[in-house]
Amino acid sequence: MSEEILRVEGLRKRFPGVLALDGVDLSLRTGEVHVLLGENGAGKSTLIKMLSGAYHPDEGRILLDGQPVEVRTAGDAQRLGIATIYQEFNLVPELTVGENLALGRPPRRFGFIDVKAMHRQARELLDRVGLDLDPRRRIGTLGIARMQMVEIAKALALNARVLIMDEPTAVLTTSEVDKLFSIVRQLRDEGVAIVFITHHLEEIAQIGDRVTVLRDGRSVAEVPANTAEDELVRLMVGRPIDQQYPREPEQPGRALLKVSGLGRRGAFDDVSFEVRAGEVVGLAGLVGAGRTEVARAIFGADRYDTGEVTVDGRPLPAGDIHAAMAAGLGLVPEDRKGQGLVLGADIAENLGLVTLGDASHGGFVDRSGQRKAAAKVAGQLGVRMSGLGQEVRTLSGGNQQKVVIGKWLLADVSVLILDEPTRGIDVGAKVEIYQLINSLTASGHAVLMISSDLPEVIGMSDRVLVMARGRLVGELPAGEATQDTVMALAVTEVEGTRVQ
Ligand SMILES: Nc1ncnc2c1ncn2[C@@H]1O[C@H](COP(=O)(O)OP(=O)(O)OP(=O)(O)O)[C@@H](O)[C@H]1O
Ligand SMILES: [Mg+2]
């Protein structure tokens, strides 16, 4: 048995209105992957932020190699050999990939930053994570999956003894997860101690050695990673979950969303499909297949060059979000921080962002009505909060995502496009969201769901459309969609379209 490198004893942390950690113990060994498991808001990120110097505990101790240590700053953590990949990325969007990878310690020659050397180092790091990317590219132009891989590369550069990864796979697809796991295994075999947070239970047995379960800010169990999923769920949620994908299909009605011949040069081409009232249509594909781009174009967040979008028979002007929303279209974007939330505002305000217009009576905003509706949807989604007045910035990652979804549920749109809706959401809360999707379609709404989580797309869609390299390459009815059939389509080579 390898030795203990890091030990956490009785950590407590209080924020205004919440006791985030209420006595947490953790024991981490060299050469192990230790999974932290817990519901949204259980305290996982708070715990690791105390190991990385972002927060300071109110009570409790952190021991490294048996010695109590103070981790007051990120610099302390780095000196102690602790590197962290945060759930909320720490990249600077305005800077290039190379600059981000060199942050803090760019190579210098004669006192000047040695750009050539910086790019060479960046390429080496990108190679390690299997990312074929020009280091001169600005971070802000990358999709979220590639940002995550850059973030991982950045942490690898620190050659840490303890590597903490807060939901690194949340935004990755299967092939990227495979790549990440091979890196993690290699580091583990070199003796690095790894803390790994994930809401994807199937990953635990694949990559983990031991699991510490957090519930309501307390560590409630430490079990081997090959513990049955049912048992892990019971430990984290406190009750078993009967049906992970409770889809109840409806008889489809008229076409509410019609997309014909949609194309944008260099991005996607000739995309045509419809979503009918009562339907959930899934859009599957690899990262870079063009799913998010198509969704954003439909919603008017980006332009398109050819084709047409109609909602309930009426054509939408291209590139006009307001017209799209007025026509009854909604989009839950994949990047909640950049596009879905006002982080400095409170939960009630965020939930009201889309509905504010409707809630006004004779020019006055019906604040109490709005608050009531917000309270209801926050309750349905089980948002873990100190109250509707809590700033969204201070919610846990999964609870922020619930607010993004809640905002659109309140808006009562006729067609809702969900781009990675359950990213970062715990297993129990996922089922609540699926049930809300069911109630949307039961009342005649249409849902287009993009998801990289294959079991979810397959489990919740009535039909699955598959995109590859900017084109729709196939459609599978619910009964024929399996991981294999979807993946076989997703890797289709399409002639004459863009290469990433
Ligand atoms: N800066 C803060 N101010 C106030 N409350 C906070 C702050 N940071 C975290 N919290 C609260 O502490 C609790 C634990 O949050 P934490 O982010 O650790 O959860 P988590 O287990 O990482 O959840 P998730 O799976 O959603 O990422 C939550 O109730 C959250 O709202
Ligand atoms: Mg978290």
Side-chain angles (χ1 to χ4, degrees):
M1 179 100 359
S2 48
E3 78 230 53
E4 186 178 73
I5 175 168
L6 183 110
R7 184 176 189 81
V8 162
E9 290 176 354
L11 279 202
R12 292 177 137 251
K13 178 76 186 172
R14 181 178 289 283
F15 292 113
V18 258
L19 186 55
L21 294 188
D22 183 18
V24 168
D25 302 325
L26 176 71
S27 153
L28 185 63
R29 293 183 196 139
T30 56
E32 81 162 327
V33 177
H34 198 118
V35 177
L36 269 188
L37 185 66
E39 286 182 289
N40 297 130
K44 304 177 297 295
S45 296
T46 306
L47 168 60
I48 59 126
K49 280 180 184 162
M50 289 195 273
L51 300 176
S52 63
Y55 292 156
H56 198 68
D58 300 336
E59 273 175 52
R61 308 200 293 170
I62 299 168
L63 299 104
L64 197 67
D65 300 318
Q67 300 299 314
V69 288
E70 291 279 329
V71 199
R72 293 214 163 252
T73 62
D76 286 351
Q78 201 167 325
R79 270 187 299 282
L80 293 167
I82 302 173
T84 304
I85 298 164
Y86 290 104
Q87 187 172 11
E88 320 301 337
F89 300 151
N90 244 349
L91 302 169
V92 186
E94 292 76 23
L95 297 183
T96 65
V97 170
E99 286 163 340
N100 268 280
L101 287 173
L103 266 192
R105 358 152 235 106
R108 290 180 186 271
R109 254 187 112 202
F110 311 121
F112 295 98
I113 292 181
D114 183 347
V115 175
K116 247 177 145 172
M118 182 175 86
H119 286 161
R120 196 176 54 241
Q121 287 174 11
R123 282 222 170 77
E124 281 168 20
L125 285 169
L126 293 171
D127 269 354
R128 278 183 78 181
V129 298
L131 204 54
D132 183 15
L133 201 63
D134 185 343
R136 286 169 301 191
R137 205 154 146 189
R138 272 199 318 111
I139 286 289
T141 66
L142 299 180
I144 200 153
R146 288 202 275 185
M147 277 192 211
Q148 176 72 76
M149 293 312 272
V150 172
E151 183 82 47
I152 291 164
K154 195 174 125 199
L156 294 182
L158 297 172
N159 290 317
R161 299 170 68 206
V162 175
L163 180 60
I164 302 170
M165 311 178 116
D166 196 350
E167 297 191 38
T169 59
V171 301
L172 303 180
T173 50
T174 325
S175 59
E176 293 157 317
V177 171
D178 289 346
K179 181 74 206 167
L180 175 66
F181 281 4
S182 74
I183 299 166
V184 168
R185 286 192 189 105
Q186 192 188 332
L187 292 169
R188 181 195 60 194
D189 294 346
E190 290 166 9
V192 177
I194 295 155
V195 176
F196 194 92
I197 301 180
T198 184
H199 286 294
H200 296 140
L201 297 184
E202 75 281 2
E203 291 174 1
I204 295 175
Q206 283 173 38
I207 195 69
D209 297 298
R210 290 190 297 168
V211 184
T212 289
V213 183
L214 293 188
R215 190 152 93 217
D216 299 332
R218 274 182 224 121
S219 38
V220 293
E222 194 205 82
V223 293
N226 59 8
T227 304
E229 283 187 16
D230 293 358
E231 175 62 7
L232 291 173
V233 169
R234 201 189 55 75
L235 287 169
M236 81 187 260
V237 189
R239 60 183 156 82
I241 288 176
D242 307 334
Q243 209 187 351
Q244 182 64 60
Y245 303 106
R247 176 68 191 142
E248 286 159 15
E250 306 289 332
Q251 190 60 41
R254 65 184 191 284
L256 286 183
L257 174 68
K258 229 179 192 161
V259 175
S260 358
L262 213 62
R264 185 171 76 229
R265 281 186 55 186
F268 50 87
D269 190 27
D270 198 21
V271 174
S272 304
F273 64 90
E274 53 182 51
V275 188
R276 297 162 69 182
E279 262 192 323
V280 176
V281 172
L283 193 51
L286 303 178
V287 162
R291 297 165 303 164
T292 292
E293 278 131 315
V294 166
R296 288 175 52 83
I298 293 173
F299 185 58
D302 290 328
R303 57 174 189 85
Y304 49 84
D305 302 325
T306 58
E308 191 181 52
V309 177
T310 61
V311 174
D312 208 2
R314 274 171 307 174
L316 285 186
D320 186 343
I321 292 183
H322 295 288
M325 281 168 57
L329 199 59
L331 171 70
V332 173
E334 64 166 349
D335 173 8
R336 62 171 171 262
K337 240 182 143 181
Q339 298 157 22
L341 291 171
V342 181
L343 290 172
D346 70 19
I347 297 169
E349 285 169 296
N350 271 280
L351 284 172
L353 279 177
V354 195
T355 27
L356 223 57
D358 301 349
S360 59
H361 289 303
F364 295 99
V365 175
D366 173 8
R367 293 232 174 260
S368 82
Q370 194 191 323
R371 258 193 122 70
K372 248 186 231 152
K376 183 170 171 222
V377 84
Q380 281 175 329
L381 291 165
V383 178
R384 195 195 181 91
M385 55 186 182
S386 55
L388 285 173
Q390 185 175 351
E391 252 187 60
V392 162
R393 185 196 312 281
T394 66
L395 284 179
S396 79
N399 283 297
Q400 291 183 359
Q401 179 68 8
K402 291 184 202 170
V403 172
V404 178
I405 294 181
K407 171 178 113 172
W408 285 106
L409 291 175
L410 273 176
D412 194 32
V413 291
S414 63
V415 181
L416 187 57
I417 306 175
L418 301 165
D419 193 353
E420 307 287 359
T422 64
R423 177 174 276 173
I425 294 215
D426 71 55
V427 277
K430 272 184 190 171
V431 180
E432 314 282 312
I433 287 171
Y434 299 148
Q435 268 149 2
L436 287 167
I437 290 177
N438 277 344
S439 61
L440 280 179
T441 55
S443 51
H445 302 257
V447 174
L448 176 65
M449 181 168 72
I450 299 175
S451 175
S452 300
D453 182 341
L454 276 183
E456 166 176 284
V457 153
I458 292 164
M460 281 305 293
S461 307
D462 306 327
R463 286 186 286 138
V464 179
L465 306 174
V466 186
M467 276 187 82
R469 294 182 184 243
R471 295 208 182 190
L472 272 184
V473 291
E475 175 179 333
L476 298 161
E480 286 169 32
T482 62
Q483 305 231 16
D484 290 341
T485 53
V486 173
M487 278 314 284
L489 284 169
V491 298
T492 314
E493 290 293 328
V494 185
E495 247 175 83
T497 50
R498 70 169 169 167
V499 182
Q500 278 274 304

